[in-house]
């Protein structure tokens, strides 16, 4: 390779899922690559998102299993839960993954700077703490997203998902602001671990992007599990009382709700504040996101962006694909675009729900003539249980062709089952293909091929 006029071929800002993947793949194609990360290598998903959250979801599921255990003949005496044990175990696993991600960069000869990097021109970044300026032929912005904290009095008394993993104690009373992914996942975790949980949302909708039948069922089941909801109640103030506890005042005029922890989970905004993108001629979008074309290229030809910072689909596997496609296209000449069709997703609530493809409302709007198949069943594991919590599938097809447009499920293992079902939806299979498949009995997934 001829000696370059730049320090690196690629400089990546942000060592999260998208940035690390892009850096590693580009280096594998022979590029000289550096990454800057201002917090910890691994990014949101690994350090304070999906991974530690999922470990806490497992902890929450033990509560369910313990409550069922007696029905299966087990006597469990003196079961109790210790938050610091869980918190510290989760933190150790995060440390392990942080080290593994760092090793990945090292073993691929990717230089890394634990520093904040800001763009100072089309081919230059400045490291904030060291003051060093570094040049690169190509810059990739993969700085992810940051929790939005709405404006209201006392919002500094609240925490976000960034802080929730480090709480000193299991809070006795938790108020969660928002009714999206993060709100309902943590509401489920804290409820199962023994906290009193109230979810307060500005509208009367939970999980807006999911099929209405799943949302209604989740609401009913989580209410039955003891989560309280208050809708159409934007926050007015969070007041700190003399004893250190909090009081949440809402704009609907209802009684304030006491809390020990207030978790704000009202969406995440592209992490672009102060990044200096204007020095490369890049104008941010309305939500602070970086506008890009199908190849991840910004308005500046040498600057690209991938992952949540582009505010397309805020999901880790999408960021990874975008980072990978960018590196292949720019450093191996292999042009690949990321397909955003039929992306499966899940909410790790208690119980979880998962979906792929169109909701019933979307399918009706886009295709008109559709067929809807449902299965409402009692998961076998719950058969002995006092809790009447049913599982539910909805499968939507194009009426004429039978092509599957969407599959939706709420119930135990929904995310595991839907990941596999997503292959069929992505491949354009039909209901007849499902009907042709012999059931795997007894399982919950078999309902998928038994719907009539
Ligand atoms: P979501 O977009 O899922 O939900 C945001 C919630 O906050 C909604 O209930 C919304 O209400 C409410 N809200 C939005 N803006 C305001 C505001 N200004 N004031 C008060 N309430 C507001 O956001 P999350 O923070 O839960 O998650 C962010 C993203 O992270 C998700 O969209 C998802 O892509 C990703 N994520 C994915 C997970 C997974 O795959 N399992 C897990 C966690 C996060 P309304 O409905 O009325 O608009």
């Amino acid at each position: 390779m001829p000696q370059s006029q730049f320090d690196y071929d690629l400089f990546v800002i942000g060592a999260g899922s998208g940035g690390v993947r892009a850096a590693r793949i580009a280096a594998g194609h022979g590029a000289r690559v550096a990454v800057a990360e201002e917090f910890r290598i691994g990014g949101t998903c690994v350090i304070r998102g999906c991974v530690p959250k999922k470990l806490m979801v497992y902890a929450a599921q033990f509560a369910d299993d313990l409550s069922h255990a007696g029905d299966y003949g087990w006597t469990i005496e003196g079961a109790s839960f210790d938050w610091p044990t869980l918190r510290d175990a989760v933190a150790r696993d995060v440390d392990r993954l942080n080290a593994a991600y760092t090793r990945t960069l090292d073993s691929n000869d990717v230089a890394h700077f634990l520093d904040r990097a800001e763009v100072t021109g089309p081919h230059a970044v400045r490291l904030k703490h060291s003051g060093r300026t570094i040049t690169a032929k190509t810059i990739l912005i993969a700085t992810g997203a940051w929790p939005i904290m709405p404006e209201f009095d006392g919002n500094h008394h609240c925490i976000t998902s960034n802080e929730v993993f480090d709480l000193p104690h299991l809070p006795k009373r938790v108020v969660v602001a928002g009714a999206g992914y993060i709100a309902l996942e943590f509401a489920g975790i804290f409820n199962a671990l023994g906290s009193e949980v109230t979810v307060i949302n500005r509208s009367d909708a939970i999980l807006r992007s999911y099929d209405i039948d799943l949302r209604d069922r989740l609401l009913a089941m989580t209410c039955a599990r003891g989560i309280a909801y208050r809708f159409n109640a934007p926050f007015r103030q969070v007041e700190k009382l003399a004893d250190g506890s909090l009081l949440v005042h809402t704009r609907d005029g209802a009684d304030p709700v006491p809390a020990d922890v207030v978790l704000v989970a009202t969406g995440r905004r592209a992490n672009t504040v102060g990044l200096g993108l204007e020095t490369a001629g890049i104008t941010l979008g309305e939500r602070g996101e970086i506008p890009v074309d199908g190849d991840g290229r910004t308005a500046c030809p040498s600057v690209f962006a991938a992952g949540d910072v582009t505010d397309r689909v805020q999901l880790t596997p999408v960021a990874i694909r975008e980072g990978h496609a960018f590196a292949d296209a720019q450093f191996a000449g292999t042009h690949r675009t990321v397909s955003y069709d039929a992306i499966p997703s899940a909410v790790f609530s208690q119980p979880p729900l998962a979906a792929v493809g169109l909701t019933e409302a979307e399918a009706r709007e886009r295709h008109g003539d559709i067929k809807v198949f449902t299965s409402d069943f009692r998961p076998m594991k719950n058969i002995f249980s006092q809790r009447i919590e049913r599982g539910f599938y909805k499968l939507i097809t194009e009426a004429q062709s039978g092509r599957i447009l969407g599959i939706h499920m709420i119930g135990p293992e929904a995310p595991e089952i839907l990941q596999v079902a997503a292959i069929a939806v992505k491949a354009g299979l039909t209901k007849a293909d499902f009907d042709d498949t012999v059931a795997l009995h007894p399982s919950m997934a078999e309902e998928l091929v038994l719907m009539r």
Side-chain angles (χ1 to χ4, degrees):
M1 196 180 278
Q3 194 57 43
S4 164
Q5 63 184 107
F6 300 108
D7 297 327
Y8 292 98
D9 300 317
L10 172 64
F11 196 96
V12 181
I13 307 184
S17 301
V20 168
R21 174 60 68 94
R24 163 165 91 73
I25 299 300
H29 292 319
R32 297 167 310 133
V33 185
V35 183
E37 167 57 53
E38 64 181 328
F39 184 53
R40 296 182 71 189
I41 288 172
T44 301
C45 174
V46 167
I47 304 294
R48 47 191 177 192
C50 327
V51 171
K53 179 276 307 288
K54 184 76 187 273
L55 291 169
M56 290 194 169
V57 166
Y58 283 129
Q61 285 171 349
F62 273 99
D64 251 10
D65 289 346
L66 286 169
S67 74
H68 283 207
D71 304 324
Y72 283 92
W74 290 92
T75 303
I76 297 179
E77 275 164 15
S80 65
F81 172 74
D82 183 54
W83 169 264
T85 302
L86 171 66
R87 181 199 57 201
D88 295 349
V90 169
R92 278 195 299 279
D93 201 57
V94 167
D95 289 345
R96 179 185 67 78
L97 287 168
N98 170 242
Y101 270 64
T102 308
R103 274 198 305 278
T104 296
L105 294 178
D106 288 340
S107 61
N108 284 281
D109 290 328
V110 175
H112 48 88
F113 302 97
L114 283 180
D115 201 338
R116 177 174 169 82
E118 292 172 0
V119 175
T120 52
H123 295 284
V125 300
R126 199 174 70 86
L127 298 180
K128 193 168 176 206
H129 298 296
S130 73
R132 187 172 158 195
T133 292
I134 296 174
T135 60
K137 184 162 183 255
T138 303
I139 296 171
L140 176 71
I141 314 290
T143 48
W146 193 255
I148 295 170
M149 178 63 80
E151 287 297 325
F152 54 82
D153 276 355
N155 63 5
H156 58 283
H157 298 310
C158 305
I159 63 165
T160 68
S161 56
N162 283 350
E163 294 81 34
V164 73
F165 299 106
D166 301 324
L167 292 175
H169 319 285
L170 178 70
K172 198 167 159 303
R173 300 160 304 177
V174 180
V175 165
V176 183
Y181 283 83
I182 297 176
L184 294 184
E185 291 181 342
F186 278 98
I189 290 168
F190 284 121
N191 168 256
L193 298 182
S195 306
E196 273 170 41
V197 178
T198 308
V199 173
I200 302 182
N201 198 30
R202 64 173 178 179
S203 71
D204 62 356
I206 68 167
L207 295 169
R208 218 171 256 289
S209 61
Y210 284 88
D211 191 274
I212 189 70
D213 281 339
L214 263 55
R215 291 155 57 184
D216 284 350
R217 280 164 190 262
L218 183 68
L219 184 59
M221 287 188 241
T222 50
C223 284
R225 284 175 179 240
I227 295 177
Y229 286 87
R230 188 181 283 189
F231 290 122
N232 300 312
F235 276 32
R236 182 163 60 78
Q237 185 195 4
V238 172
E239 184 187 356
K240 188 157 195 164
L241 304 180
D243 64 359
S245 69
L246 303 169
L247 203 52
V248 178
H249 301 267
T250 52
R251 293 195 179 278
D252 58 349
D255 288 344
V257 185
D260 301 299
V261 162
V262 178
L263 170 66
V264 172
T266 50
R268 295 171 61 81
R269 185 181 188 276
N271 192 11
T272 49
V273 175
L275 258 190
L277 292 164
E278 64 288 352
T279 64
I282 298 166
T283 306
L284 297 175
E286 260 176 28
R287 297 177 309 279
E289 79 280 12
I290 303 180
V292 288
D293 66 15
D295 295 328
R297 193 185 298 269
T298 68
C300 174
S302 57
V303 180
F304 291 72
D308 287 5
V309 77
T310 64
D311 198 21
R312 287 172 288 181
V313 180
Q314 289 185 340
L315 293 175
T316 296
V318 175
I320 290 174
R321 279 183 176 241
E322 289 171 354
H324 200 132
F326 154 80
D328 280 350
Q330 298 308 313
F331 299 98
T334 320
H335 190 254
R336 284 205 291 124
T337 44
V338 176
S339 162
Y340 295 94
D341 281 344
I343 295 174
S345 65
V347 182
F348 293 92
S349 43
Q350 315 285 327
L353 58 84
V356 60
L358 303 181
T359 63
E360 185 177 341
E362 288 167 343
R364 267 188 212 294
E365 198 186 310
R366 287 190 216 172
H367 293 264
D369 204 5
I370 60 167
K371 281 189 180 163
V372 178
F373 302 84
T374 58
S375 171
D376 183 324
F377 57 97
R378 190 162 185 196
M380 198 170 168
K381 192 177 175 187
N382 293 351
I383 287 293
F384 298 153
S385 165
Q386 299 305 311
R387 184 181 286 154
I388 308 164
E389 204 167 76
R390 299 181 70 81
F392 177 76
Y393 278 107
K394 180 184 276 190
L395 190 147
I396 300 153
T397 68
E398 220 172 37
Q400 285 292 316
S401 65
R403 185 166 66 92
I404 297 172
L405 301 172
I407 306 180
H408 309 268
M409 179 188 178
I410 182 166
E413 311 304 344
E416 303 294 337
I417 295 168
L418 260 281
Q419 170 68 87
V420 182
I423 301 170
V425 178
K426 181 75 180 158
L429 297 192
T430 62
K431 176 75 169 58
D433 294 316
F434 274 47
D435 295 344
D436 274 353
T437 307
V438 175
L440 192 160
H441 183 72
S443 68
M444 264 181 307
E446 72 179 314
E447 297 295 326
L448 270 180
V449 298
L450 297 174
M451 279 187 260
R452 293 286 178 266

